[in-house]
Amino acid sequence: MLDQQKLESIIKQAPKENDHWDFKEQWYESSKHSELLRDIINFVNTSHHDDCYIIIGVEDKHGKIIGVDEDTNSFNRQKLQDFLRSKQFAQNFYPNTDVNTFSVYSPDQKKNVDIDVITIFNEDNTPIFLQQKVRGIRYTTSDGQVHTRHDLLPGLIYSRINDSNTPINESISDHQMELLWRKRFGLDLDLYARYKLILKSPEKWEYIVTKDNQETYICTEDPNFVIKSQGHLDDKNSHFESFMMSEYDIRIEWFGLTLFYGTNVVYEAFNVLVNKTAFELVVPDNSYINLKDNNAAISYPYYLKDDFPYLITQCINNCRDKKHFISIPDYVDDDIVFYKNKDEKKYYESLVTENRLPEEILAPKKDEIARLIDRILIDRILIDRILIDRILIDRIKLSGTNGVYGDIELIAKKMMSEHLLVKYIKRLKSIKE
């Protein structure tokens, strides 16, 4: 995720360009939209697994920060997507892009100017190419005649290597083509990254129950990838976790999951049944945030969408029924924070720390709810939800009388505190997004 700090660090390296970013002094004129298309295709067909950026408003010869404040040729996110979808790509593939504006200080102009950034998100299904010809750059000769040159041709594989683009009338070399196919199948990745990649394709997994009643998931593309259920964990069936606060059955039953590659254990996790149904939830990770001056911390459950707990949850639920995509239910989403990656997690946790959340969030009381909402900017809808959650505390007490060890009041307090922290972070994310 590109933020202000990362953008400024890139601009400091201008005019140096590479296979991650390119500088443009101004937006592409309408007569040069084929060049915009070609530049995007070039960045999609890179052999690395990172997002790429076209940074507009920075001179590519000397690195001067010009800005796009007066530029009338700019695209917003929707206009760029519409432009890309108007082109015929093979297999109906369309690059995933975004457009954002940043305010950056220009030493030459001695003021902040707007810089536009086109983000070309990483795509593993490389190579991509056009299915139909796209007319190239149009230009007018001295006699007023309009001509076209440099058509983008169907079937040619354009790519970017370091700071150079493939010639417009040629395809990439055999070596570069091999790199793109290795990227497509994850053959350039380490074992952990390959596992994460294959988990994103539940259609490549088969769910079976062995003769000894063991649930097993086997990758049909490479049977070395195997997920096995390790069975019921009796010592954990009396646990209560805040990520199950919105469920009908708040007492959870734990199971073990092990990811194998051949006979090697790659990853181990716990999973739980949601309301004793077929939907399984891999237990999310916990993070701790310091909320007070004395460094007391509160934990909360979260998923990284590029890490094992989230990817396993999606895969094992989806591969059971390939006809219907099963996503994580909304009521589970209420009690877990979902981050794209570690960078996004770090960003929002820093916001929470900077806002200096009051001690009351650790042990909210009914007569303090109004002040709490004032302090942490939670909207009116959440008031009703908090009152309902306080009723859930009584349910925890009742359901916890059999086989639950520990102080149920403390369990309820911890669950409520985590629940409110999740709600607060979600509020921050909704404002930002």
Side-chain angles (χ1 to χ4, degrees):
M1 182 173 66
L2 183 69
D3 56 21
Q4 185 79 27
Q5 183 178 2
K6 184 174 180 179
L7 172 63
E8 291 180 359
S9 70
I10 292 175
I11 291 177
K12 285 181 181 179
Q13 300 179 58
K16 177 184 177 181
E17 298 175 331
N18 52 36
D19 59 0
H20 283 71
W21 66 75
D22 191 17
F23 295 109
K24 300 291 181 184
E25 183 173 340
Q26 59 187 11
W27 273 91
Y28 301 75
E29 299 175 0
S30 59
S31 62
K32 297 182 179 179
H33 280 176
S34 63
E35 281 300 295
L36 169 61
L37 177 62
R38 181 185 172 214
D39 285 341
I40 291 174
I41 294 174
N42 283 330
F43 276 123
V44 174
N45 285 335
T46 48
S47 58
H48 59 70
H49 295 264
D50 303 321
D51 296 338
C52 297
Y53 310 103
I54 300 175
I55 301 168
I56 305 173
V58 178
E59 190 184 49
D60 60 359
K61 290 185 178 180
H62 305 289
K64 290 185 178 180
I65 301 174
I66 307 298
V68 294
D69 302 62
E70 307 297 327
D71 201 325
T72 60
N73 295 309
S74 63
F75 277 20
N76 59 24
R77 177 188 307 169
Q78 188 59 54
K79 189 173 181 180
L80 180 57
Q81 281 297 304
D82 290 344
F83 166 73
L84 292 172
R85 289 190 172 275
S86 69
K87 311 307 175 188
Q88 293 296 316
F89 283 90
Q91 301 178 345
N92 291 321
F93 172 86
Y94 299 97
N96 186 14
T97 59
D98 198 0
V99 180
N100 296 103
T101 301
F102 295 84
S103 179
V104 176
Y105 182 74
S106 170
D108 294 305
Q109 302 180 51
K110 295 182 173 56
K111 66 175 183 178
N112 277 32
V113 296
D114 285 345
I115 298 295
D116 284 345
V117 179
I118 300 174
T119 299
I120 302 99
F121 293 105
N122 175 62
E123 175 56 54
D124 291 330
N125 290 321
T126 56
I128 70 164
F129 54 92
L130 292 167
Q131 189 169 285
Q132 290 185 0
K133 182 177 72 174
V134 173
R135 188 170 60 176
I137 297 174
R138 285 172 291 165
Y139 65 98
T140 304
T141 57
S142 57
D143 60 357
Q145 295 294 313
V146 177
H147 298 268
T148 302
R149 63 183 179 189
H150 302 322
D151 289 338
L152 303 185
L153 301 177
L156 292 185
I157 310 298
Y158 300 120
S159 180
R160 186 176 179 92
I161 304 173
N162 297 321
D163 61 348
S164 300
N165 295 327
T166 306
I168 200 166
N169 59 346
E170 299 178 14
S171 270
I172 57 176
S173 66
D174 289 346
H175 173 67
Q176 186 67 11
M177 181 72 81
E178 179 184 346
L179 293 178
L180 294 183
W181 280 106
R182 288 178 62 83
K183 176 182 179 180
R184 185 185 187 99
F185 293 109
L187 299 177
D188 59 334
L189 302 173
D190 62 36
L191 181 57
Y192 292 96
R194 285 183 63 196
Y195 226 121
K196 291 178 181 180
L197 183 63
I198 202 71
L199 285 170
K200 294 178 181 179
S201 302
E203 71 279 1
K204 297 178 181 179
W205 291 80
E206 192 71 33
Y207 167 71
I208 64 172
V209 179
T210 62
K211 291 182 179 180
D212 57 353
N213 206 34
Q214 184 181 54
E215 292 186 323
T216 303
Y217 305 84
I218 301 175
C219 177
T220 55
E221 188 176 86
D222 184 349
N224 284 302
F225 292 96
V226 177
I227 303 174
K228 293 183 179 181
S229 172
Q230 300 304 304
H232 202 262
L233 304 176
D234 293 331
D235 61 330
K236 284 185 172 288
N237 288 331
S238 295
H239 284 218
F240 299 102
E241 301 290 347
S242 63
F243 62 82
M244 298 291 282
M245 283 279 286
S246 299
E247 304 309 317
Y248 179 76
D249 295 317
I250 59 176
R251 179 181 296 182
I252 57 177
E253 297 184 355
W254 297 59
F255 298 82
L257 276 180
T258 304
L259 277 62
F260 292 91
Y261 185 77
T263 59
N264 298 310
V265 174
V266 177
Y267 187 83
E268 294 180 294
F270 297 121
N271 70 312
V272 300
L273 295 178
V274 177
N275 290 336
K276 297 183 175 62
T277 66
F279 187 86
E280 297 183 39
L281 188 72
V282 174
V283 175
D285 288 319
N286 274 300
S287 185
Y288 290 83
I289 301 180
N290 291 325
L291 300 179
K292 300 187 299 181
D293 291 333
N294 62 5
N295 291 325
I298 181 173
S299 64
Y300 73 96
Y302 72 93
Y303 277 131
L304 299 179
K305 290 188 175 182
D306 62 356
D307 205 1
F308 280 113
Y310 178 83
L311 295 173
I312 298 169
T313 297
Q314 293 286 53
C315 184
I316 64 177
N317 287 287
N318 284 299
C319 76
R320 288 184 173 185
D321 186 352
K322 300 182 178 65
K323 296 180 181 178
H324 303 286
F325 181 84
I326 307 171
S327 60
I328 290 180
D330 291 340
Y331 44 79
V332 174
D333 179 72
D334 286 344
D335 299 312
I336 303 173
V337 179
F338 292 76
Y339 296 115
K340 294 178 182 177
N341 48 42
K342 288 182 179 179
D343 288 341
E344 187 178 49
K345 173 178 176 288
K346 181 179 179 182
Y347 171 76
Y348 282 105
E349 287 187 348
S350 68
L351 287 185
V352 174
T353 303
E354 291 168 6
N355 285 348
R356 309 293 296 169
L357 291 187
E359 180 179 353
E360 288 84 348
I361 196 173
L362 299 176
K365 297 178 181 179
K366 190 171 181 179
D367 60 352
E368 296 170 337
I369 290 177
R371 292 199 305 273
L372 178 63
I373 293 173
D374 251 357
R375 298 287 299 276
I376 62 176
L377 303 177
I378 298 180
D379 58 41
R380 181 71 188 178
I381 296 175
L382 186 54
I383 296 178
D384 295 332
R385 180 60 188 276
I386 291 174
L387 294 177
I388 293 173
D389 286 343
R390 296 195 63 77
I391 296 173
L392 281 179
I393 291 179
D394 294 330
R395 288 174 53 195
I396 295 169
K397 292 178 182 177
L398 292 174
S399 64
T401 57
N402 184 16
V404 175
Y405 300 99
D407 190 324
I408 302 303
E409 292 285 349
L410 291 179
I411 294 173
K413 179 180 178 182
K414 179 176 181 292
M415 291 176 68
M416 281 296 299
S417 297
E418 291 183 351
H419 178 71
L420 288 174
L421 182 54
V422 166
K423 287 297 180 185
Y424 178 62
I425 296 174
K426 285 180 173 289
R427 176 67 173 173
L428 290 177
K429 285 173 62 64
S430 67
I431 293 172
K432 180 69 175 179
E433 295 168 357

